[in-house]
Amino acid sequence: MATEPLTSLDRSTLRERALDALRYAVTSGQYRPGDHLGEVELAGRLGVSRGTVREALRHLQQEGLVTPSARGMLRVRAYTSTEIRELFQVRAALEGLAVRLIIASPQRDTAVTALRHAVARLDERHRDFIAHVDADMAFHLLLCELSGNSMLTTSWQQLAGRIRTTVMARGEEQTTLMSGGYHAPIVDAIEAGDAGTAVDVLQQHMERAAERLAA
Amino acid sequence: MATEPLTSLDRSTLRERALDALRYAVTSGQYRPGDHLGEVELAGRLGVSRGTVREALRHLQQEGLVTPSARGMLRVRAYTSTEIRELFQVRAALEGLAVRLIIASPQRDTAVTALRHAVARLDERHRDFIAHVDADMAFHLLLCELSGNSMLTTSWQQLAGRIRTTVMARGEEQTTLMSGGYHAPIVDAIEAGDAGTAVDVLQQHMERAAERLAA
DNA sequence: AATCTGTTGACTGTTGACAGTCGGCATCGG
DNA sequence: CCGATGCCGACTGTCAACAGTCAACAGATT
């Protein structure tokens, strides 16, 4: 009588689900920078035990989304203007490597078309702010993935949370930064195939974004 | 009757100490890649509870030193030759940024002298392998710190464990890689002040190291 | 009034125990 | 001989409870 063939079960642990929930809550601004994250309160709210929440919180701490204050209590981390600029410098270095690798790769064309799709999504979703941010993050993540360097992707993802909070916190008035028009030149430069110029274009993109977001 | 004035107490938690102990055990090769790290065994060996060990292990997992295998059991992660090359490409990108920042900084001279000291330490300690590796790591970490970009330092440190295991695992016959002679050119290039050349020198250093270690 | 001293409440740090899952072995039926 | 089934041991996942620490407050002592 089964209408659906049996599908594989969800094997995710409570810790993983708690982690996702908390990460989303923080990076979407549900908790503002400086807010206190009490283990007991979160555990109660999520319906899991303190230990489980603790592990998730420690993970977020390592991601830089949360920072310990007095007596080990965790707060949502606030990033200063300087740190934001630094963050985007590091991004530029990492994604710059990605660009150089993509240009040097034999599958540059397929990479370019994939990136163009990602750029198109940026404009499709520009009405819903969160979806827009997601699309922006997806573009840059794709850039890293297309480089074929898995360590690069890993390193970038370690910064992803910080990037997301920054954009979420200060980017609402700066949605132009995430428009397709601002990203297309990067792809164009990759297609053109001159590594030096492409890296420059990317660098400018990052500097402009950092300046606006660090305001 | 106190011969010493009272000094501040050690406030580190068991988790932190367990983390240090485990990280050292893994990065120093006490556990070899592929070895199974059972929570109960480690807890017994360290004399702490499983929960405490768990948190430390999760941290190492995020650092990339251990990786989950079947049924959530953790093993010491083994890095393939490809991953080692990728890792050193990312290092090169990050430390390349550091070099550019140092050159652009007004305190380049003091940075250079600090780096020269670090290079000197490399040769002082070349007899004890572990101390030698420590000195090498210290040099590159210092490079990041002198850049003044805290995010850069953070990102680099996320890779530190991976780098250390790689060097520890395959670097014993390749100690020349860590000699002062191999590092001095980097500092020289920074002192000379031409960013392009300096980054090239660093890149070569990294490529050479990667090639030897990925053998 | 100023200062020292318990006390209380709100946290995190740490632990031991319970529950669930899986691989491997023995067992049983063909 | 071979496959299915049921048990056993070794794990991790999860939880509830205990212990320790600190800030803030109230009260006692000068």
Side-chain angles (χ1 to χ4, degrees):
Chain A
M1 205 44 194
T3 61
E4 293 276 347
L6 284 179
T7 163
S8 190
L9 297 175
D10 176 22
R11 305 278 301 177
S12 67
T13 66
L14 285 180
R15 170 174 46 87
E16 291 168 322
R17 277 176 273 178
L19 175 58
D20 288 341
L22 289 175
R23 186 191 287 117
Y24 181 78
V26 170
T27 60
S28 72
Q30 248 172 286
Y31 290 96
R32 309 293 305 177
D35 281 1
H36 170 213
L37 299 178
E39 296 176 358
V40 277
E41 184 200 331
L42 296 176
R45 203 174 289 240
L46 293 173
V48 297
S49 82
R50 260 187 65 214
T52 305
V53 169
R54 265 178 83 84
E55 293 188 17
L57 284 175
R58 289 271 121 74
H59 196 109
L60 292 184
Q61 183 179 348
Q62 226 172 329
E63 283 185 13
L65 295 188
V66 139
T67 190
S69 64
R71 269 164 301 160
M73 293 193 301
L74 294 176
R75 302 185 164 286
V76 176
R77 170 147 184 190
Y79 284 93
T80 66
S81 302
T82 312
E83 285 170 326
I84 293 174
R85 291 197 188 87
E86 293 176 348
L87 176 60
F88 276 72
Q89 277 186 333
V90 176
R91 277 189 75 177
L94 290 177
E95 298 187 31
L97 172 60
V99 164
R100 287 199 302 273
L101 290 174
I102 292 175
I103 290 183
S105 142
Q107 298 130 0
R108 190 169 74 202
D109 331 354
T110 58
V112 167
T113 59
L115 287 169
R116 290 225 185 282
H117 281 136
V119 170
R121 296 234 172 111
L122 281 171
D123 286 328
E124 286 169 18
R125 307 198 180 171
H126 76 111
R127 298 193 185 282
D128 176 9
F129 181 57
I130 292 188
H132 201 182
V133 175
D134 285 342
D136 181 62
M137 299 289 288
F139 171 84
H140 293 279
L141 177 60
L142 180 63
L143 191 69
C144 294
E145 287 171 344
L146 288 172
S147 77
N149 182 321
S150 63
M151 287 293 155
L152 172 55
T153 307
T154 307
S155 284
W156 190 89
Q157 274 178 323
Q158 307 255 24
L159 301 177
R162 296 169 164 99
I163 297 171
R164 201 165 199 279
T165 26
T166 303
V167 176
M168 279 295 209
R170 314 211 189 178
E172 187 107 44
E173 324 85 33
Q174 304 282 359
T175 49
T176 0
L177 281 175
M178 300 188 293
S179 67
Y182 270 54
H183 286 81
I186 301 174
V187 185
D188 292 340
I190 293 175
E191 190 170 33
D194 181 50
T197 347
V199 171
D200 281 349
V201 171
L202 181 76
Q203 198 116 9
Q204 280 172 27
H205 179 90
M206 288 300 164
E207 280 174 18
R208 188 161 43 191
E211 241 14 82
R212 298 265 185 95
L213 294 172
Chain B
M1 204 43 191
T3 61
E4 294 276 347
L6 285 179
T7 161
S8 190
L9 296 175
D10 176 23
R11 306 276 302 176
S12 67
T13 66
L14 284 180
R15 169 174 47 85
E16 291 169 323
R17 277 175 273 177
L19 175 58
D20 288 341
L22 289 175
R23 186 192 286 119
Y24 181 78
V26 171
T27 59
S28 71
Q30 245 172 287
Y31 290 96
R32 309 291 306 176
D35 282 0
H36 170 219
L37 298 178
E39 297 175 357
V40 278
E41 184 201 332
L42 296 176
R45 204 174 288 241
L46 293 173
V48 298
S49 82
R50 258 187 68 215
T52 306
V53 168
R54 264 176 84 82
E55 292 188 17
L57 284 174
R58 289 271 121 73
H59 196 108
L60 292 184
Q61 183 179 349
Q62 224 171 332
E63 284 185 12
L65 295 188
V66 302
T67 189
S69 64
R71 270 167 300 164
M73 293 193 299
L74 295 176
R75 303 186 163 285
V76 176
R77 170 148 184 190
Y79 284 93
T80 66
S81 301
T82 313
E83 285 170 326
I84 292 175
R85 291 196 189 87
E86 292 177 348
L87 177 60
F88 276 73
Q89 277 186 334
V90 176
R91 277 189 74 176
L94 290 178
E95 298 187 30
L97 172 60
V99 164
R100 288 199 302 273
L101 290 174
I102 292 175
I103 290 183
S105 142
Q107 300 130 0
R108 189 169 75 202
D109 328 356
T110 56
V112 167
T113 59
L115 287 170
R116 290 224 186 282
H117 281 136
V119 171
R121 296 233 172 112
L122 281 172
D123 286 328
E124 288 169 17
R125 308 197 179 171
H126 76 110
R127 298 192 185 282
D128 176 8
F129 180 57
I130 292 188
H132 201 180
V133 174
D134 285 342
D136 182 61
M137 298 290 288
F139 171 84
H140 292 279
L141 178 59
L142 180 62
L143 191 68
C144 294
E145 287 172 343
L146 288 172
S147 77
N149 183 321
S150 63
M151 285 294 154
L152 172 54
T153 307
T154 306
S155 284
W156 191 89
Q157 274 178 323
Q158 308 253 24
L159 301 177
R162 296 169 164 98
I163 298 172
R164 201 164 199 279
T165 25
T166 303
V167 177
M168 279 294 207
R170 315 210 188 179
E172 188 109 42
E173 326 83 35
Q174 304 283 359
T175 49
T176 1
L177 281 175
M178 299 189 293
S179 67
Y182 270 53
H183 286 81
I186 301 173
V187 185
D188 293 340
I190 293 175
E191 189 171 32
D194 181 50
T197 340
V199 170
D200 281 349
V201 171
L202 181 76
Q203 198 117 10
Q204 280 173 27
H205 178 91
M206 289 300 163
E207 280 174 18
R208 188 161 43 189
E211 242 13 84
R212 300 263 184 95
L213 293 172

